Amino acid sequence: MPLDNCVAFVTGANRGVGECFVHMLLNSGAKKVYAGARNIDALRFADDRIVPVELDITDESQVKQAAALASDTTLLINNAGLNCVEPALAASDMNAARTEMEVNYFGTLNMIRAFAPAFPAGSAIVNLHSILARVTLPSMASLCASKAASLRMTEGVRAELKPRGIRVISVLPGAIDTDMSRDFPPPKLPAIEVVKAALSALDDDTNEVYVGAMAQEIAAGLARDRHAIQSSLAGTI
Ligand SMILES: NC(=O)c1ccc[n+]([C@@H]2O[C@H](COP(=O)([O-])OP(=O)(O)OC[C@H]3O[C@@H](n4cnc5c(N)ncnc54)[C@H](OP(=O)(O)O)[C@@H]3O)[C@@H](O)[C@H]2O)c1
């Protein structure tokens, strides 16, 4: 999919990977970029191709309004996400588990259901998951469950949209150097590396993009011996 002259919509565009997506799309010649943010005052772009859109992806009516406003979108980047860094049992209540599922799974599904009906053939959707969609780190088990749910949902959406000529790409990075991973130890991927890998997949037939050595090694390990990989991560509790 050529990026020059495309019309893109990026969720969570005010910081981190989302902000980096917007810059890369603008630099690649996008005609227009809708920048979704819960607080549009936090958007830091000075380019008249940017259309700020107030958007909480868990708010169904806001999502519907965004889809109506941005009905010319042909590239949807579902970047917004949340990690509460909570284990499954030791968490004091169910709030983190519910919120992560609400944002990472239902919010992403909400966006796709609102935008996909108007997409012409040749459009594409890029969903930001994580390598933790494929394995469980016990210290953030509820995040892993929500990303796994989102990855499974994406496989269903991909199958449903394929006959209409719409690509759906899953991006599974390791740790990225943004606010979300502020307290994690290195190594962490620069956001730009994730964005470049995600957008390059639009030019080939890759459905799942594993970004960085950590994600690629885990994916290869899962293919060889899923039990061994999961056991070694279970030992990190
Ligand atoms: N950082 C990592 O190590 C890492 C690794 C693998 C995958 N990822 C995934 O990469 C994506 C981008 O993360 P990041 O590293 O850029 O994190 P980040 O710096 O924490 O940014 C998260 C973005 O998502 C937005 N967001 C959260 N909940 C939202 C909601 N309900 N509606 C709309 N926007 C919402 C945030 O908006 P506010 O500013 O309003 O909070 C913010 O713009 C996420 O899907 C994340 O799960 C991150």
Side-chain angles (χ1 to χ4, degrees):
M1 173 185 204
L3 292 178
D4 56 319
N5 280 320
C6 80
V7 177
F9 195 116
V10 181
T11 65
N14 54 302
R15 58 191 172 105
V17 179
E19 187 174 39
C20 190
F21 262 114
V22 174
H23 283 301
M24 181 62 96
L25 288 162
L26 293 173
N27 291 341
S28 305
K31 184 160 83 183
K32 195 193 290 182
V33 181
Y34 294 99
R38 291 195 281 198
N39 171 14
I40 54 170
D41 293 338
L43 292 166
R44 299 177 282 199
F45 307 109
D47 191 302
D48 57 13
R49 291 171 293 163
I50 291 288
V51 181
V53 183
E54 189 178 323
L55 178 66
D56 181 328
I57 62 167
T58 67
D59 181 331
E60 221 166 307
S61 70
Q62 255 187 18
V63 168
K64 280 189 181 141
Q65 276 175 30
L69 171 82
S71 59
D72 52 349
T73 301
T74 52
L75 173 59
L76 171 62
I77 312 276
N78 283 311
N79 161 79
L82 184 74
N83 183 357
C84 299
V85 194
E86 290 278 14
L89 291 183
S92 55
D93 54 34
M94 300 268 279
N95 289 345
R98 286 191 202 285
T99 310
E100 286 163 332
M101 202 56 92
E102 203 54 54
V103 176
N104 298 332
Y105 174 65
F106 287 111
T108 304
L109 179 57
N110 211 1
M111 287 296 295
I112 298 171
R113 287 178 59 86
F115 278 73
F119 275 177
S123 304
I125 299 172
V126 174
N127 287 349
L128 262 288
H129 307 288
S130 162
I131 190 56
L132 297 179
R134 300 222 34 224
V135 286
T136 301
L137 211 50
S139 58
M140 46 182 92
S142 56
L143 172 276
C144 299
S146 69
K147 289 290 188 181
S150 180
L151 181 62
R152 290 285 91 80
M153 173 273 286
T154 300
E155 290 165 357
V157 166
R158 180 176 300 127
E160 284 192 76
L161 292 179
K162 189 172 179 203
R164 288 178 45 204
I166 299 167
R167 289 278 310 281
V168 183
I169 295 167
S170 294
V171 184
L172 299 94
I176 311 167
D177 194 7
T178 62
D179 293 345
M180 187 177 282
S181 296
R182 196 189 297 118
D183 300 329
F184 301 167
K188 291 184 260 194
L189 295 163
I192 186 83
E193 201 176 312
V194 178
V195 169
K196 278 185 180 165
L199 295 178
S200 324
L202 293 167
D203 291 329
D204 57 39
D205 57 1
T206 314
N207 287 334
E208 284 189 357
V209 186
Y210 292 89
V211 193
M214 183 200 293
Q216 286 160 10
E217 281 163 20
I218 290 176
L222 286 170
R224 269 195 316 272
D225 186 349
R226 174 168 181 86
H227 179 70
I229 290 287
Q230 192 51 59
S231 297
S232 71
L233 291 171
T236 61
I237 192 95

